[in-house]
Amino acid sequence: MKRFQVKKVAVLGAGVMGAQIAAHLVNVKVPVVLFDLPAKDGPKNGIVSRAIENLKKLKPSPLGVASDADLIGQANYEEHMEQLRGCDLIIEAIAERMDWKVDLYKKIAPFVVEHAIVASNTSGLSITKLSEALPESLKPRFCGIHFFNPPRYMTLVELINTPTTEAQILDDLETFVTSGLGKGVVRAKDSPNFIANRIGIAGMLATMKEVENFGLSYDVVDDLTGKRLGRASSGTFRTADVVGLDTMAHVVKTLQDNLNDSTDPFYGSFGTPPVLAKLIELGHLGQKAKAGFFKKVGRDIMRFDLESEEYVPAGQKADEVYGRMLKRPAAERLKLLRHSEGPQGQFLWAILRNGFHYAAVHLASIAETARDVDQAMRWGFGMKQGPFELWQEAGWLEVAKMVQEDIDAGKALSKAPLPEWVFKGPVADAGGVHTAQGSWNPSKGVFESHRSLPVYERQHFPELLLGEAGPKFETAGTTIDENDSLRTWTLDGEVLIASIKTKMHAISPEVCEGLMAAVDLAEAEYQGLVIWSGNEPFSAGADLQAMLPAFMAVGVAAIEDAEGFMQQVMLRLRYANVPVVSAVRGLALGGGCELAVHSARRVLHMESYVGLVEVGVGLVPGAGGLTYIARRAAENAETSTGKDLLPFLTEGFTAAAMAKVGTSAIESRKLGYVLASDLIVPHKDELLFVAINEARAMFDGGYRAPHKRLFPVAGRDGKATILGSLVNMRDGGFISQHDFHIARLIANVVTGGDVDPGTLVSEEYLMTLERQAFCSLIVHPKTQERILGMLNTGKPVRN
């Protein structure tokens, strides 16, 4: 696959977005230099330096590891313009002022090399107008690139061309952004606010208008418009607070300034809502100002009351009858809402109707296809379904008739009728805009398939919209064996794949049996085994619920047998004669972490969260996790001239005893669960492709399993040192007595128990200590309290 080679990137503008884009580039190992104006006082790079320091404090962190902020190069426009000559991509992300951007383009133009791409991260300014400030030689290599905030976590990136942008430039940039940055790309037309913000902000304004019409409170609306509606859990008003009310007002003003009644029939709904204007006037700009539509006072959540301009108690919930309605199938759900008598139901139908109406009327002017709209709303606004998907699922023509009836009756926000293609022709005949042939392109009047760039060949199972055709991992390839817990299959006949099917991909005895059989088969007939389960999580750990019946019937002996079998599986994976590759995405906790660390190689999506968390349910890792910590400490100590094992053991012990979880694949490497030889993949849908290739490459390279060998442990001296620090933590009130008891058991395992320092032990020996500790805890009343609490509430119990 031909790839656009990005050896270095310049980001112009060290504001919130510019700095976080630079941070994400560091996350994916792309060298980056961050520019801004020279500081008036102190060091010339002071503005950039402060922005980089601030990155280390932000939550959620824009960086996989906070210290990586120091990898961002610092520059200013006065002293360092020559550095631009070494950059293949230049992303401009300064304030949304056309005159400032144009002035900057004139300054940088002489320093942009002939192959470099220049892209503006504007959220709404005309890309075509911006391009007019560029010399003719740069215009073909200029486009818009709109990241969503925060760039590390938000999938969506919109690319916007101009009439002079070369097609290959957009293809090259889409390839880099997809595979290199791990993003989902949509192509947007050069219209105000592009796709996601155009649809999303218009939807938020319409929602605020309907809130006024139906007299609902912000907390009730957020309860209705969050997860219940298949949208981001923050709902409408909390989302606005997170985005920033000043930012929202800016996007609204872009619509107001660049549209009018003739270019947008919904223009009358774009007035700044009085409550938004009042909050901004009062300086209540949302989460960053600690007050917006909502405000936290102590432990209480308050909501803003426009009439009194004060905050009043929040916490009201929607009427549960509407919660039940929203669980019904799409067609039934919409009919129930439309004919409901209560204001909450009428409100829900109104905002859904307005969304369908707006998306249909504007599709041709903002996007190439309906796919781009639905993907933009999924990736940019956290919707489970885009507006066209929901419409199609509920019955295309039936919903269209309901919407048009409301328009004709004057109930909608605009009198503009639905476009003719909604009722007649291919879309009506197909029952929607998404088909096996592609998604509807209203400008061309055809169903258009997804762009066939080579980068998409790396995605075996890309995210599909309702109605689209494509392979599904549950049934793809050739199934070798399958039951309710595990599917063993292959895509290419060379590498075997094991996919766990249990809830949260928990590791049950049946999963263990399937993995054991999969290793046997891989050794006999394949080049390797990849453990990949199709979606998140990789595995949330051992299936405690599956063990409970045996425990109740037989007692602790059943638990010891189950743990022993899990340990055998882990050693079987580690010493298999073919490479076993764990393809990790999302959570890999407890037994999931143990499964990963006993594989020959790990390939991880960057947003993977790995750790041994058994302490949270009052247990210790029991499937080889502590044995892994002890062995890795010994292996790392071998590279040192010192003989003391304890310094190499401390971090692993602490991670297990404190149930530390890496907040990224990068941080999981710092904790020791991911090795330098493991691969971190930016795009979630490329994970299987990379894992299969890695297994094949390891096999072709003559892979051999590691030798089984004895290794030294820290012994009773190391255990005594650890216990000393634990006593101080207990006596200081930092941990409970039961926490102390569990940590003492962990220390006993990782140091090898009551043996001399440097004693050589086997993995089996340490696993026996693990089982003994695990089984002693499973019968402990306080551990049973923790387990039942977790099973009932999903939250850890501290006792």
Side-chain angles (χ1 to χ4, degrees):
M1 183 182 71
K2 180 181 178 292
R3 299 182 66 184
F4 172 55
Q5 295 296 312
V6 178
K7 296 181 285 295
K8 189 174 184 180
V9 176
V11 177
L12 312 182
V16 173
M17 282 301 290
Q20 292 201 48
I21 290 169
H24 188 60
L25 287 160
V26 166
N27 289 336
V28 295
K29 295 188 175 181
V30 176
V32 59
V33 57
L34 182 61
F35 278 79
D36 211 303
L37 295 166
K40 294 179 180 178
D41 301 309
K44 289 288 182 70
N45 285 339
I47 294 174
V48 174
S49 297
R50 287 190 291 274
I52 291 173
E53 281 302 307
N54 190 52
L55 288 172
K56 301 176 184 179
K57 305 171 188 174
L58 291 179
K59 299 293 179 185
S61 176
L63 292 147
V65 176
S67 60
D68 281 355
D70 298 330
L71 299 176
I72 300 172
Q74 301 184 23
N76 64 77
Y77 304 127
E78 184 178 296
E79 300 175 310
H80 305 117
M81 296 293 272
E82 285 290 333
Q83 289 192 35
L84 293 175
R85 298 188 192 278
C87 297
D88 309 290
L89 173 62
I90 299 170
I91 300 173
E92 171 269 304
I94 68 170
E96 294 284 88
R97 282 271 302 266
M98 180 74 72
D99 54 340
W100 290 359
K101 290 178 185 285
V102 167
D103 182 60
L104 180 59
Y105 296 167
K106 290 176 181 176
K107 289 179 180 177
I108 68 168
F111 302 96
V112 179
V113 293
E114 62 183 15
H115 70 275
I117 296 175
V118 178
S120 174
N121 182 60
T122 178
S123 61
L125 295 179
S126 169
I127 302 299
T128 300
K129 287 184 179 178
L130 287 172
S131 72
E132 291 169 0
L134 296 167
E136 292 301 317
S137 60
L138 261 181
K139 287 181 179 179
R141 293 178 280 124
F142 177 79
C143 64
I145 181 170
H146 182 209
F147 288 84
F148 270 61
N149 190 27
R152 170 184 164 184
Y153 301 98
M154 297 301 290
T155 301
L156 180 62
V157 170
E158 294 173 319
L159 296 185
I160 309 98
N161 68 325
T162 75
T164 55
T165 306
E166 283 185 4
Q168 187 61 47
I169 291 297
L170 278 190
D171 289 350
D172 286 343
L173 194 52
E174 181 166 347
T175 296
F176 170 68
V177 170
T178 300
S179 191
L181 303 186
K183 299 302 174 188
V185 172
V186 301
R187 302 273 184 101
K189 293 186 177 180
D190 191 11
S191 60
N193 289 346
F194 312 127
I195 297 175
N197 274 344
R198 180 70 174 274
I199 298 285
I201 296 300
M204 291 180 79
L205 287 172
T207 298
M208 292 180 185
K209 195 172 185 69
E210 298 294 0
V211 166
E212 293 177 27
N213 293 341
F214 292 101
L216 302 180
S217 64
Y218 309 137
D219 40 6
V220 168
V221 170
D222 276 2
D223 190 36
L224 287 169
T225 60
K227 284 188 175 180
R228 293 175 187 265
L229 203 60
R231 300 183 178 181
S233 58
S234 50
T236 299
F237 294 100
R238 289 184 196 278
T239 296
D241 278 350
V242 171
V243 169
L245 303 191
D246 52 342
T247 301
M248 182 179 174
H250 171 78
V251 178
V252 170
K253 192 171 188 306
T254 302
L255 292 176
Q256 294 168 344
D257 291 348
N258 293 280
L259 297 170
N260 52 51
D261 288 321
S262 62
T263 56
D264 192 320
F266 295 80
Y267 186 74
S269 302
F270 291 165
T272 303
V275 65
L276 180 62
K278 176 54 68 175
L279 284 167
I280 292 173
E281 178 189 326
L282 295 172
H284 301 333
L285 304 181
Q287 185 172 282
K288 59 190 172 186
K290 299 184 179 180
F293 286 103
F294 296 96
K295 177 182 180 180
K296 191 171 184 181
V297 180
R299 293 186 177 182
D300 298 323
I301 302 296
M302 314 290 281
R303 63 176 170 81
F304 185 71
D305 178 70
L306 180 59
E307 187 174 340
S308 66
E309 298 185 12
E310 300 289 340
Y311 283 89
V312 299
Q316 286 183 282
K317 297 292 183 182
D319 190 326
E320 194 50 43
V321 68
Y322 300 108
R324 292 194 293 271
M325 282 186 189
L326 291 173
K327 292 178 181 178
R328 307 298 298 172
E332 185 180 347
R333 183 192 325 155
L334 295 192
K335 287 178 183 176
L336 286 170
L337 292 174
R338 190 185 185 220
H339 296 293
S340 64
E341 296 181 358
Q344 294 180 23
Q346 293 172 7
F347 161 78
L348 283 170
W349 163 249
I351 64 171
L352 290 171
R353 174 202 65 213
N354 295 340
F356 300 148
H357 189 190
Y358 195 85
V361 167
H362 289 292
L363 174 57
S365 64
I366 64 175
E368 294 178 359
T369 69
R371 178 192 303 105
D372 288 325
V373 169
D374 280 348
Q375 287 184 326
M377 298 314 294
R378 277 190 180 199
W379 295 337
F381 276 79
M383 291 186 175
K384 187 177 179 181
Q385 292 180 302
F388 291 118
E389 283 186 282
L390 176 56
W391 183 348
Q392 183 166 329
E393 183 185 6
W396 184 264
L397 286 177
E398 185 72 21
V399 173
K401 289 173 184 174
M402 292 194 294
V403 173
Q404 189 60 54
E405 285 174 5
D406 277 15
I407 296 170
D408 295 339
K411 296 178 180 179
L413 294 178
S414 167
K415 296 179 181 178
L418 291 173
E420 187 175 354
W421 56 261
V422 170
F423 293 102
K424 297 178 182 178
V427 171
D429 295 341
V433 292
H434 304 306
T435 69
Q437 293 73 43
S439 289
W440 181 245
N441 183 324
S443 299
K444 296 180 180 177
V446 297
F447 292 109
E448 196 169 273
S449 60
H450 193 276
R451 282 181 299 282
S452 57
L453 297 178
V455 69
Y456 294 116
E457 295 173 10
R458 296 169 59 89
Q459 299 180 11
H460 289 307
F461 303 101
E463 191 174 316
L464 295 175
L465 300 175
L466 180 77
E468 286 190 312
K472 295 183 178 180
F473 70 86
E474 296 92 342
T475 55
T478 302
T479 299
I480 308 301
D481 189 31
E482 185 170 14
N483 55 38
D484 290 341
S485 299
L486 191 85
R487 180 183 181 223
T488 307
W489 56 292
T490 182
L491 272 176
D492 58 7
E494 296 179 347
V495 174
L496 196 63
I497 304 167
S499 296
I500 302 172
K501 296 169 57 180
T502 53
K503 184 179 180 181
M504 296 292 285
H505 301 143
I507 304 170
S508 64
E510 292 76 18
V511 169
C512 289
E513 290 171 6
L515 289 173
M516 195 75 92
V519 175
D520 291 342
L521 182 60
E523 286 183 332
E525 301 180 26
Y526 293 87
Q527 297 181 5
L529 173 65
V530 169
I531 302 173
W532 176 85
S533 299
N535 47 32
E536 295 187 29
F538 174 71
S539 173
D543 190 345
L544 290 175
Q545 285 182 305
M547 297 182 187
L548 286 179
F551 175 55
M552 298 299 291
V554 180
V556 74
I559 298 294
E560 185 166 7
D561 288 345
E563 285 299 300
F565 186 41
M566 281 187 71
Q567 291 175 343
Q568 292 175 40
V569 172
M570 300 305 169
L571 292 177
R572 186 75 178 92
L573 296 173
R574 173 166 165 75
Y575 294 108
N577 290 325
V578 291
V580 177
V581 178
S582 280
V584 179
R585 174 185 164 200
L587 300 176
L589 304 179
C593 175
E594 290 167 317
L595 191 62
V597 299
H598 282 89
S599 301
R601 187 68 45 87
R602 285 139 297 278
V603 175
L604 307 96
H605 179 233
M606 204 192 97
E607 297 307 324
S608 295
Y609 311 101
V610 186
L612 297 169
V613 296
E614 286 83 353
V615 170
V617 288
L619 294 169
V620 299
L626 300 182
T627 299
Y628 167 81
I629 288 170
R631 176 174 57 77
R632 285 296 300 164
E635 290 169 350
N636 290 334
E638 280 185 346
T639 64
S640 171
T641 56
K643 294 183 179 180
D644 187 5
L645 270 171
L646 198 58
F648 300 94
L649 188 61
T650 301
E651 186 170 22
F653 164 78
T654 303
M658 302 296 289
K660 285 187 178 181
V661 176
T663 57
S664 66
I666 302 170
E667 188 174 63
S668 298
R669 180 175 277 158
K670 296 278 187 182
L671 295 177
Y673 300 130
V674 179
L675 306 183
S677 55
D678 295 331
L679 303 178
I680 296 176
V681 179
H683 202 293
K684 62 181 176 59
D685 293 336
E686 293 186 5
L687 195 61
L688 181 60
F689 172 88
V690 175
I692 289 173
N693 279 356
E694 187 67 10
R696 194 183 293 123
M698 292 172 73
F699 179 86
D700 290 342
Y703 174 80
R704 292 283 181 180
H707 285 292
K708 273 197 173 187
R709 63 176 73 228
L710 303 179
F711 51 89
V713 289
R716 64 177 69 89
D717 292 357
K719 180 169 66 173
T721 302
I722 293 174
L723 289 180
S725 64
L726 290 175
V727 168
N728 291 335
M729 292 181 70
R730 181 197 60 192
D731 294 348
F734 297 103
I735 59 175
S736 70
Q737 178 60 39
H738 196 49
D739 290 330
F740 173 79
H741 177 57
I742 297 167
R744 182 170 56 187
L745 291 174
I746 292 173
N748 185 64
V749 177
V750 298
T751 59
D754 190 20
V755 297
D756 293 332
T759 298
L760 298 177
V761 301
S762 66
E763 288 167 293
E764 288 84 356
Y765 167 79
L766 290 180
M767 285 182 171
T768 299
L769 296 182
E770 276 190 34
R771 284 200 310 280
Q772 292 171 350
F774 190 95
C775 291
S776 72
L777 286 167
I778 202 75
V779 296
H780 197 293
K782 288 192 177 293
T783 284
Q784 292 178 359
E785 284 179 19
R786 292 192 182 189
I787 292 173
L788 291 174
M790 180 64 76
L791 292 177
N792 290 331
T793 68
K795 296 179 181 179
V797 174
R798 296 304 304 273
N799 56 1

